[in-house]
Structure formats: C-alpha cells, structure tokens
Amino acid sequence: MRFIIVVLCLLIASMASLPVEAHMPGASPPPKFELEPIVVDDGGKMINITIEEIGKYHNEMAKKMKIKMLKKQGKTDEEIKAIIEKEFANATGICPCVAASFRAALLGIKNIWGDEIPKRDDIKIISNLPTPGSCQCFQYITGNAPNVKAMCKGEFHIILPNGTEVKNMSMKNLKKIAMNINASYFCFTICRKSTGECFTANVEDDVFPEDYFVLRKKVKYGIPEKASKEEVEKFRKEWEDVRNKFLTQPDWELFEGLERAESKSNVAGAVALLIGCGIAWAIWRKYAK
C-alpha cells in the first residue's frame, strides 16, 4: 500500500511539472511570416480569423490551466503571478500544433470552396491530432471554442488514427492522450457539409526531425526519463524549426500529394517562351524574304 501511495505521489508531481503546450519556455519568437486569414460567413457577418488571434486564444487558455494547477498546489497570488510572467514571457501561443492545424484548415477551405466564403455552419473538420493547440485552433475556426462568441457553429471531431473518437476535449484530457503522438497524427480532413466534399491535409513526415517525438515525450512528460539540459535545448530548437516551417514554407513542402507551385509556373513560362519564339520565327521568315 505504501508503495502505491509513493508511485501515485510521483505521478502527480511529474504531471504538475509539465510545461503547457501553448509555448516552449525559452523559445524565440516566430519569424516574420505572411499567412492570409481564414474568412468565414458567421450568420451573415464576414469574420477574418488570423493565426495570431488563435495563438492568443490558445495562450490564454493555457494560462488559465496553469493558474488553476498552481492554485491546487497552494501557491499564493504573488507566486502565481511571478510564475506566469516568467513562463509566458514573449509567448504568442503559436505552437507547431496551432500552426499545422491553421495551415491545414486554410488549405482545405481553399481546395473545397475556392473563391467562395464558406458558411461557418457548413464546415466540418475531423482531426487525428489530440493536442490542446490543435483542438483549440479548430474549435475557434468552427465556432465551438469555449468563451468565444459565434453566431453559427460548424462541426469538429477528434478521431485518433486507430478510429477512437475523443469526446472529452478538456486540456487535461488532451494532454494525457497526446503523450504518444507521432507524425501520423498530423492528418486533418476538412469537409463541406452541404455537398459532402472533403479534402485531407496530411503532413509530410520529414517536416519533423527524426528524434522530435522522442524528445517531446521526454521534455514534456519525463518519459521514459527526465530530459537532460542538452535534450531540452535540442528539443527547443527543433520545436522552433517545426513551428517556423508551418509559418513560412509553401503548402507543397508541408503536405503530401501537392504539386510544387514553382514547377507549374516554370512549365507555363517555358510553354509561353516556346510559343513566343515560334511566332517570332514565323514573322522573321515572312519578312526576311
């Protein structure tokens, strides 16, 4: 019995020390990037949803969770304030999961609706990724985010790669489920409910460094053992690199099955050049006689 109590205490202590998903302590700010907003028709009102505001929302939700946890630990208001200011210094809330999910939604909406503006309640998103950042991003887009007003609500579901649907979307439950994720979980399906048309955005495996998820598990969960300072620093750099890729790289470098945009434009340019040369040659032959 004493052994069980000790194990439970160690487990609680390890869970209490987990860093929140919204930020990576000590991480540098995101680089300069240009991502267009997701525009939705929310009951007749056009809403521009930017990744910055989703990041801010994710950050605030993470802060609330952290404050609640610190209060349970018996921390004073002054101690809590100091901890929050230190841990969330310069945090934007734009983590790799938020960035990947936003890019997937943007890509899916473009492919299905084209130049149309989707009605919010016509959007359905099915995600394989059970992290708080990804969940809150899609909740925000579909109008299902707690504490965020929306006139209309689309559908959002988390269905793990093994087919299990996650019904409890609390941050506490998601953090527990997300312990064992890998690249295969970064798969998102965006659907137009009125037509049944869907688009799946599946992130390329090589977006993530080979040891990314092993380090993530050690740094964020202390499994199979607590990460060393060197491992924490390595994961921080990899975390920044993955986040930056989702913010700056073109779709075809991030998601499977997409053609390289440059190659299409290059082919079009080459064809135009050949046609132009042909016309010039014909004109020269005509008037050179």
Side-chain angles (χ1 to χ4, degrees), residues 166-199:
V166 178
K167 296 288 188 179
N168 180 358
M169 296 187 187
S170 67
M171 289 188 72
K172 182 178 179 181
N173 187 55
L174 292 177
K175 284 179 68 67
K176 181 173 65 176
I177 297 173
M179 184 185 302
N180 296 307
I181 66 168
N182 54 48
S184 68
Y185 284 74
F186 283 73
C187 183
F188 317 98
T189 301
I190 293 83
C191 299
R192 184 171 187 166
K193 294 169 62 178
S194 58
T195 64
E197 185 180 0
C198 294
F199 178 88

Side-chain angles (χ1 to χ4, degrees), residues 24-31 89-92 94 236-237 239-241 243-244:
M24 181 67 195
S28 61
N90 302 317
T92 62
I94 303 177
R236 181 185 294 114
K237 290 179 179 178
W239 186 97
E240 292 173 352
D241 180 58
R243 175 202 61 190
N244 296 349

Side-chain angles (χ1 to χ4, degrees), residues 30-204:
K32 290 184 179 180
F33 64 91
E34 293 183 7
L35 287 180
E36 61 186 283
I38 292 172
V39 184
V40 298
D41 179 346
D42 187 29
K45 182 179 180 181
M46 300 303 114
I47 304 293
N48 289 341
I49 302 172
T50 67
I51 192 172
E52 288 87 355
E53 65 184 89
I54 291 177
K56 183 178 179 181
Y57 172 72
H58 178 41
N59 219 27
E60 291 305 313
M61 293 294 286
K63 282 183 183 179
K64 287 181 180 179
M65 180 183 179
K66 184 70 176 183
I67 290 170
K68 186 177 180 181
M69 184 173 65
L70 292 172
K71 284 183 177 180
K72 284 185 178 180
Q73 293 176 2
K75 301 291 185 182
T76 65
D77 290 344
E78 290 75 14
E79 289 173 327
I80 291 174
K81 182 180 179 181
I83 292 171
I84 293 298
E85 286 181 352
K86 181 179 179 181
E87 286 198 11
F88 287 83
N90 302 317
T92 62
I94 303 177
C95 62
C97 294
V98 166
S101 301
F102 185 87
R103 289 295 298 271
L106 188 61
L107 177 62
I109 289 172
K110 278 183 179 179
N111 273 270
I112 297 173
W113 279 270
D115 295 330
E116 281 186 75
I117 295 176
K119 292 183 178 180
R120 202 172 210 168
D121 56 3
D122 197 25
I123 300 172
K124 177 180 179 180
I125 298 176
I126 300 171
S127 171
N128 289 166
L129 185 60
T131 62
S134 178
C135 174
Q136 288 161 7
C137 177
F138 290 132
Q139 285 179 325
Y140 200 100
I141 292 168
T142 58
N144 291 288
N147 307 321
V148 177
K149 291 183 179 180
M151 296 297 292
C152 300
K153 293 184 179 181
E155 282 188 48
F156 170 58
H157 305 274
I158 298 176
I159 300 179
L160 304 180
N162 64 8
T164 302
E165 182 166 5
V166 178
K167 296 288 188 179
N168 180 358
M169 296 187 187
S170 67
M171 289 188 72
K172 182 178 179 181
N173 187 55
L174 292 177
K175 284 179 68 67
K176 181 173 65 176
I177 297 173
M179 184 185 302
N180 296 307
I181 66 168
N182 54 48
S184 68
Y185 284 74
F186 283 73
C187 183
F188 317 98
T189 301
I190 293 83
C191 299
R192 184 171 187 166
K193 294 169 62 178
S194 58
T195 64
E197 185 180 0
C198 294
F199 178 88
T200 297
N202 197 0
V203 174
E204 294 274 9

